[in-house]
Amino acid sequence: MSGVGLDPRTAPTFPMAAKTMLGDTQLRKNVRHATDVIQAKRARVVAEMPDWQQLREAGKQIRQHTMEHLDFYLEEFEANCTRAGGVVHWARDAEEARRIIVGLVKASGSDEVIKIKSMTTEEIQLNSALEAAGIHPFETDLAELIIQLGEDRPSHIVVPALHKNRQQIREIFQKKMNLPELGERPQDLADAARMFLREKFLRVKTGVSGANFLIAETGGVCVVESEGNGRMCLTLPETLITVAGIDKVVPRFQDLEVLLQLLPRSATGERMNPYNSIWTGVNAADGPRTFHVVLMDNARTEILADEEGRQTLNCIRCAACQNACPVYRQTGGHAYGSVYAGPIGAILTPQLQEMKHAQSLPYASSLCGACYEVCPVKINIPEVLIHLRNKVVKQNTAGVAGFFDVEASAMKAMAMIFRSERRFRAAQRLGRVAEGPLVHKDGRGEGWIGWLPGMLGGWTQVRDLQEMPKETFRDWWEKRAANGR
Amino acid sequence: MGVDGSAGSARAEVLRRIRAANGGAADGVAARVAWEGVTREYRRSGTRVRELMLELLEDRLRDYDATVVRTAGGDVARSVARMLAERGVTRMVVPVGLRAEWLPSGFEFVVDEGLSAGELNGFDGVMTGATLAIAETGTVVLQNVAGQGRRAVTLVPDYHLCLVRLDDVVETVPEAMARLQGTAELATTFVSGPSATADIEMTRIKGVHGPRFLDVILID
Ligand code: SF4
């Protein structure tokens, strides 16, 4: 059974959790290694693309456009999916989504389901709900299997078990699969998982998946993956239940030409991930006979209503921002107290919680801008962070005048800076001057900031912040381009 | 599931919230016009001459350990025989509609007419055609049509031999999507290399659940 999901309502605040994680050197080593590898791969395959910036711009516009016409595209998706033999359900919140899915599994006559890795099912803590109803969920993604057998929790959107190394994985498999002789080469571990799960794939009659994209024009659903476990869950069972946030819709089939270029290169540093599956409703001779889609809101419409926060919904869950974030790379994912970790978690989680929980997350960032640089759909995460900090301050100080007003107006000023690229650059340059008095050098001559004023102090209480690089990445990049590389 | 009171109201409520957030209901005609206005300055077509494009495809496929050979139209069966012998496989499943002249003698080919997953599991491999291939990403695209078959068939066996006609190779992803537009509703699978994972210390491991080996024959 999987451990209890990460729940922002009960998780310790980020600074407290981060402090614990920082003491776990093995974890930090594992996370550092994994993110280094993905980042290097990503950089290589992105550099191959002469039109990367044009793709990012198109990706951003497609996502923005979708959100502006979201009701139209959801209804179009529903009509086309239904016409093709699918059944569409709507859920206002996690509770409702869980109830629908548990009901559908029961109606399928199965007390077991095979599952594809899906952050949405993590978000709604579906596994606990299934177990409570006497249904056994089998995770089939290798990383999710490691998490489930290890009674652990995911710590990364794309590679949920990246905080574990092979020895740790081997111990889990030896114990839970009853394989005392198991070797520790990655291939041995993958073979063990293949044996363990193949039997489930061939037996279990009901599958549960998330979705990467819902295509309004055709009613089709697209899932991208690497291992083939996704394809197993999508094609072998008799009943397939797909749950997706309402933000997953894209207008037309053609839009995949942009998103299928942006996503794999950003997520795993591959030109294309090994498998993309696109299916539309049911086909009597291919795949499940019964297909359900659950369209879930769960506070997404609240985010949509927030003018500055709504760009959060453009996210395609590639995790590039996590890999690039110096804070995430130090703490790993669990410190965020939510299934969405790293920069995207820092902005998404508090908003999914309607700003009632996880209020320390908007502070879990050094605002270095690395997340914005790598985001394939150009979500301005620093801008949203500042906006949310402002909201947190407002919520916490409603009716209290004085000191907090200064903080609030500082946040407003920063929000304004992040909205303009020109101002952002100027501020970065200024920041390197202004931070001067706060920096002290460590033994290796690297500069660290041990203390920051005001609310930013929440972060530096437990963590020294590395000083800003002498040259911003943008400055460096432009100089490099100007010199003809 | 029937639309009982509460399910119906969930739909109405979510749509109402979206419209409130967006300041009104979206208009389908306006949406279509706005969609046309999305800036698409990325590459819509390839720039390489055909030979270089084919080399790129071979390169990308080999990058993932596929064996790639080119063969003339009349020589397909001989190439298939050589490839199967090299892989040491003998018992193959094939989809309905795969061209008979592509099948060499000396091997067992069983046509999939709704085999169970357990039965598919018993084959050494599967051999199919492809709708198209994308050079830049090293991808073959399969659809549920004659010669390519059901999705499960190319998934369960441990080895996949894929036959691609050179006329069906495009350079970029946008060209591929444009070709697929007319058949967008068919079950479609993009395959780029064999099944793989990097979940253990970011080491690429082949074949967790899908076929561990993928080979491609390009037919002139
Ligand atoms: S915010 Fe951007 S970079 Fe981060 S996961 Fe989402 S799409 Fe990827």
Side-chain angles (χ1 to χ4, degrees):
Chain A
M1 288 308 98
S2 52
V4 177
L6 288 165
D7 189 340
R9 286 166 302 181
T10 50
T13 62
F14 180 82
M16 290 307 126
K19 194 167 192 169
T20 317
M21 296 305 163
L22 289 170
D24 187 341
T25 45
Q26 184 62 58
L27 176 130
R28 291 174 64 191
K29 236 169 94 185
N30 297 347
V31 173
R32 169 61 72 91
H33 169 73
T35 49
D36 276 349
V37 174
I38 317 182
Q39 285 218 97
K41 282 176 72 187
R42 175 199 168 274
R44 200 168 57 232
V45 296
V46 164
E48 279 177 13
M49 300 295 280
D51 55 347
W52 187 249
Q53 295 309 329
Q54 287 83 351
L55 283 166
R56 281 180 83 208
E57 179 58 31
K60 173 187 162 170
Q61 288 189 25
I62 290 167
R63 299 295 290 149
Q64 236 165 25
H65 164 81
T66 309
M67 296 311 150
E68 279 159 20
H69 304 87
L70 189 58
D71 53 334
F72 171 72
Y73 287 125
L74 285 171
E75 287 193 297
E76 190 184 19
F77 171 80
E78 180 189 43
N80 288 325
C81 179
T82 307
R83 191 174 42 78
V87 185
V88 177
H89 310 258
W90 299 68
R92 280 164 283 210
D93 53 26
E95 222 279 325
E96 192 164 21
R98 285 191 298 259
R99 208 173 48 232
I100 293 170
I101 298 166
V102 168
L104 291 171
V105 175
K106 285 196 169 151
S108 78
S110 186
D111 57 3
E112 294 173 315
V113 297
I114 43 178
K115 280 190 67 214
I116 311 182
K117 182 179 104 61
S118 141
M119 296 310 292
T120 313
T121 62
E122 294 282 352
E123 175 187 328
I124 64 174
Q125 303 190 1
L126 181 64
N127 284 3
S128 323
L130 290 170
E131 281 158 19
I135 299 160
H136 190 102
F138 293 105
E139 293 292 347
T140 63
D141 172 77
L142 180 54
E144 288 288 351
L145 179 69
I146 294 166
I147 302 274
Q148 188 177 37
L149 296 180
E151 296 172 32
D152 197 352
R153 292 155 316 175
S155 72
H156 187 275
I157 297 178
V158 172
V159 203
L162 93 171
H163 59 287
K164 293 269 187 242
N165 66 18
R166 69 181 79 176
Q167 283 80 13
Q168 294 167 318
I169 296 166
R170 174 174 174 238
E171 276 167 33
I172 294 169
F173 281 12
Q174 280 179 322
K175 207 165 106 202
K176 294 295 169 79
M177 295 178 184
N178 196 18
L179 298 168
E181 304 298 318
L182 183 62
E184 67 160 49
R185 291 181 311 137
Q187 188 70 57
D188 299 331
L189 302 173
D191 289 347
R194 183 181 175 101
M195 293 280 292
F196 180 79
L197 285 173
R198 183 125 312 205
E199 178 263 329
K200 318 266 182 300
F201 288 135
L202 298 180
R203 190 190 74 226
V204 178
K205 296 275 172 267
T206 306
V208 173
S209 86
N212 290 93
F213 306 108
L214 308 173
I215 308 157
E217 179 188 26
T218 59
V221 183
C222 176
V223 166
V224 314
E225 46 127 8
S226 292
E227 296 174 8
N229 67 305
R231 295 177 62 196
M232 295 272 182
C233 297
L234 300 175
T235 52
L236 300 187
E238 286 166 9
T239 301
L240 172 63
I241 303 160
T242 295
V243 52
I246 52 172
D247 50 316
K248 287 295 167 82
V249 70
V250 299
R252 299 200 195 171
F253 185 74
Q254 192 199 327
D255 294 318
L256 293 179
E257 75 186 16
V258 176
L259 300 164
L260 289 181
Q261 292 195 76
L262 290 171
L263 180 57
R265 285 180 203 260
S266 301
T268 48
E270 290 178 294
R271 299 181 182 106
M272 193 66 91
N273 43 280
Y275 300 125
N276 302 336
S277 298
I278 304 171
W279 75 99
T280 310
V282 288
N283 175 332
D286 188 347
R289 286 199 292 268
T290 313
F291 171 53
H292 298 273
V293 185
V294 181
L295 298 173
M296 182 179 74
D297 178 351
N298 206 27
R300 284 159 177 77
T301 46
E302 286 246 343
I303 305 177
L304 192 70
D306 181 310
E307 205 184 312
E308 279 146 329
R310 69 186 281 156
Q311 57 178 312
T312 312
L313 295 175
N314 297 350
C315 175
I316 55 172
R317 308 281 192 267
C318 72
C321 58
Q322 299 189 337
N323 304 328
C325 177
V327 176
Y328 175 87
R329 284 159 56 86
Q330 293 296 335
T331 62
H334 292 157
Y336 293 77
S338 126
V339 295
Y340 301 106
I344 180 59
I347 58 173
L348 182 58
T349 301
Q351 297 187 85
L352 286 178
Q353 297 292 319
E354 297 167 356
M355 299 303 290
K356 289 189 207 103
H357 303 280
Q359 290 198 344
S360 63
L361 286 188
Y363 295 91
S365 162
S366 57
L367 298 179
C368 69
C371 48
Y372 184 22
E373 298 275 353
V374 296
C375 178
V377 290
K378 291 197 190 175
I379 298 173
N380 190 332
I381 297 177
E383 176 187 286
V384 181
L385 283 166
I386 299 294
H387 166 66
L388 297 181
R389 288 180 188 188
N390 194 7
K391 270 188 137 175
V392 170
V393 171
K394 267 212 206 105
Q395 271 182 0
N396 292 350
T397 59
V400 187
F403 170 75
F404 287 106
D405 287 348
V406 181
E407 189 93 39
S409 57
M411 287 304 160
K412 258 187 217 133
M414 287 195 56
M416 191 195 73
I417 287 168
F418 276 105
R419 268 200 300 276
S420 141
E421 177 153 334
R422 189 176 47 78
R423 283 197 293 256
F424 178 62
R425 287 172 186 232
Q428 272 193 322
R429 266 181 235 115
L430 251 180
R432 276 192 304 284
V433 180
E435 74 177 11
L438 305 174
V439 176
H440 61 264
K441 298 282 174 195
D442 68 7
R444 288 171 302 165
E446 285 196 48
W448 296 86
I449 302 169
W451 171 88
L452 281 175
M455 301 269 313
L456 293 173
W459 170 237
T460 50
Q461 258 163 32
V462 292
R463 174 88 200 109
D464 286 355
L465 191 65
Q466 198 158 13
E467 75 174 318
M468 292 193 189
K470 290 287 166 285
E471 191 176 37
T472 66
F473 174 76
R474 284 151 190 266
D475 291 344
W476 171 80
W477 182 259
E478 274 161 19
K479 220 191 282 163
R480 176 178 171 274
N483 295 339
R485 299 172 171 227
Chain B
M1 234 173 45
V3 182
D4 65 0
S6 102
S9 68
R11 179 182 192 281
E13 175 63 15
V14 174
L15 289 170
R16 188 197 62 75
R17 290 175 187 169
I18 294 170
R19 287 169 185 147
N22 278 337
D27 158 1
V29 180
R32 303 233 171 266
V33 174
W35 185 87
E36 301 288 344
V38 169
T39 314
R40 293 174 193 268
E41 286 168 355
Y42 50 85
R43 291 170 302 146
R44 307 294 294 280
S45 56
T47 49
R48 289 173 173 81
V49 296
R50 183 180 132 109
E51 192 46 40
L52 288 179
M53 175 182 81
L54 296 174
E55 276 173 25
L56 181 68
L57 174 65
E58 292 183 33
D59 220 58
R60 298 295 197 231
L61 287 167
R62 290 202 180 105
D63 206 26
Y64 282 151
D65 298 331
T67 305
V68 188
V69 298
R70 270 200 234 177
T71 188
D75 257 357
V76 178
R78 209 167 321 150
S79 299
V80 169
R82 220 173 297 132
M83 199 75 103
L84 296 183
E86 228 162 80
R87 289 287 182 185
V89 297
T90 53
R91 194 161 176 269
M92 300 286 285
V93 59
V94 294
V96 174
L98 193 72
R99 292 166 70 155
E101 72 265 25
W102 286 353
L103 308 179
S105 54
F107 300 88
E108 187 185 354
F109 292 99
V110 176
V111 177
D112 166 51
E113 269 155 348
L115 295 165
S116 72
E119 286 166 327
L120 289 175
N121 201 26
F123 286 92
D124 295 340
V126 55
M127 176 174 147
T128 71
T131 297
L132 57 86
I134 309 169
E136 198 166 79
T137 57
T139 304
V140 294
V141 177
L142 309 171
Q143 294 191 303
N144 188 338
V145 292
Q148 298 169 43
R150 295 187 299 151
R151 293 174 288 170
V153 175
T154 49
L155 172 65
V156 180
D158 203 20
Y159 170 62
H160 181 191
L161 174 58
C162 188
L163 305 163
V164 180
R165 297 181 326 134
L166 288 192
D167 287 344
D168 296 329
V169 180
V170 297
E171 186 173 330
T172 64
V173 175
E175 290 165 286
M177 298 311 288
R179 282 216 197 184
L180 294 171
Q181 179 72 46
T183 51
E185 287 172 32
L186 293 177
T188 302
T189 309
F190 287 54
V191 176
S192 311
S195 157
T197 183
D199 280 340
I200 300 169
E201 295 185 6
M202 305 313 295
T203 312
R204 188 181 171 92
I205 313 165
K206 269 191 297 177
V208 202
H209 302 304
R212 272 183 284 199
F213 308 96
L214 169 75
D215 288 337
V216 177
I217 295 178
L218 299 172
I219 304 169
D220 225 328

